[in-house]
Amino acid sequence: KYVAELETRLGVRLLQRTTRKVGLTPAGEDLLARAPALLDDLDDLIGGVSEGSRGFSGVIRVSASVTFGEIYVAGMLDRFGQRHPALAFDLRLTDRHVDLAGEGIDLAFRLGRTDTRSLKARRLASFSLVLVASPDYLARRGTPLGPGDLAGHDCIIDTNRRDPRRWSFGSDGAQAVAVQGRFQVNSARAAVELAVKGRGLAYVPRFVLGAALAAGQVVPVLPDSSGETIPLNAVYLEGRVLPRKIRALIDFAATDVRSLEVL
């Protein structure tokens, strides 16, 4: 009935009806292809007008890696939430790449490349990796003079990395060396703790070093060899128009992440 009324209003046939089946006409196919985007725009417009009068509300479900989530994302959500008191947050920390659709996640903050085709990603920042060791370890084992010297050292392997036993240096990652060591962990923070105890060299994002670097518990190694950079992306599902509150959170994070001062 509704389709028939729409056909009358448009003056075109949208469905081709026979005694055995119903199919789309060329006009119907064109309308079906264009309608979802128009409906999304309408939903976004209505949401914008409504939110403009009462502010953002509801729950935003966010995923992030454990270390980065504890160090940065939790505080960032708190700062964003202070601006929008009607919002609630469900932050889920895990070092695996969650299925956003399957687990109902609105937005994920991910370090490293994102290859999944069903996802969209917005680059927020890039973090450099820093090679560090404790003064005690360097006194016992000597200081590497170049990336090639790492083969003879104890290296703490972070298994969260895409290729954990291959460390790259230089802006283009051209200097890559195979490393080995007694300890492998799935946490950059744990790698730093082991490095502080003199168990080996750690190659971690600068934001993880924090107080350990400031207190001299670890010191930079190979300062003349620039460390690999890893991107920070805000990742969300491709398809429907992104809700305004999610877009606002991404925009806020893109500015707020600069407060880390370790990019």
Side-chain angles (χ1 to χ4, degrees):
K1 177 182 176 181
Y2 290 128
V3 172
E5 291 178 356
L6 183 59
E7 287 177 326
T8 300
R9 181 177 179 182
L10 297 176
V12 295
R13 186 179 293 276
L14 301 176
L15 298 177
Q16 187 64 48
R17 304 166 180 85
T18 69
T19 56
R20 293 188 175 183
K21 64 179 182 179
V22 176
L24 288 169
T25 65
E29 291 178 349
D30 183 52
L31 181 62
L32 183 61
R34 299 172 62 184
L38 297 174
L39 292 173
D40 281 342
D41 287 343
L42 178 60
D43 287 344
D44 192 46
L45 175 61
I46 293 173
V49 172
S50 176
E51 289 164 350
S53 62
R54 71 174 191 273
F56 296 130
S57 61
V59 178
I60 299 179
R61 295 175 178 84
V62 179
S63 173
S65 63
V66 176
T67 300
F68 187 67
E70 291 174 344
I71 291 176
Y72 172 69
V73 177
M76 182 273 292
L77 292 179
D78 177 59
R79 290 187 287 275
F80 183 71
Q82 290 179 27
R83 299 187 177 190
H84 306 283
L87 274 177
F89 302 94
D90 180 355
L91 176 59
R92 306 179 188 183
L93 302 182
T94 175
D95 287 327
R96 64 180 176 86
H97 281 190
V98 300
D99 177 358
L100 270 62
E103 300 188 31
I105 300 298
D106 298 305
L107 182 66
F109 292 96
R110 290 184 179 172
L111 293 165
R113 297 191 300 273
T114 298
D115 300 326
T116 307
R117 294 183 179 180
S118 62
L119 300 178
K120 285 189 175 181
R122 175 177 168 184
R123 175 76 64 87
L124 302 180
S126 293
F127 296 102
S128 58
L129 298 184
V130 182
L131 183 67
V132 297
S134 71
D136 174 67
Y137 174 86
L138 296 176
R140 288 186 289 107
R141 298 293 304 277
T143 301
L145 300 179
D149 295 340
L150 297 182
H153 280 266
D154 293 327
C155 295
I156 302 165
I157 310 298
D158 182 355
T159 56
N160 281 327
R161 291 171 51 82
R162 186 181 290 259
D163 192 353
R165 294 184 178 274
R166 186 178 178 85
W167 292 358
S168 299
F169 297 85
S171 57
D172 56 357
Q175 293 179 287
V177 294
V179 297
Q180 58 184 356
R182 295 174 54 210
F183 292 95
Q184 62 178 27
V185 296
N186 65 345
S187 164
R189 178 176 280 175
V192 174
E193 291 177 358
L194 288 167
V196 168
K197 295 179 180 178
R199 303 299 184 257
L201 296 151
Y203 194 36
V204 297
R206 185 178 294 274
F207 68 80
V208 182
L209 293 169
L213 188 62
Q217 294 175 305
V218 292
V219 296
V221 180
L222 302 182
D224 295 331
S225 297
S226 59
E228 182 182 353
T229 60
I230 53 175
L232 168 64
N233 292 311
V235 178
Y236 52 94
L237 286 170
E238 189 174 34
R240 294 180 62 84
V241 172
L242 201 61
R244 291 182 69 252
K245 61 186 176 184
I246 307 300
R247 291 207 308 269
L249 175 56
I250 294 173
D251 290 340
F252 179 84
T255 301
D256 186 76
V257 73
R258 299 170 192 164
S259 65
L260 276 173
E261 298 180 352
V262 290
L263 304 183

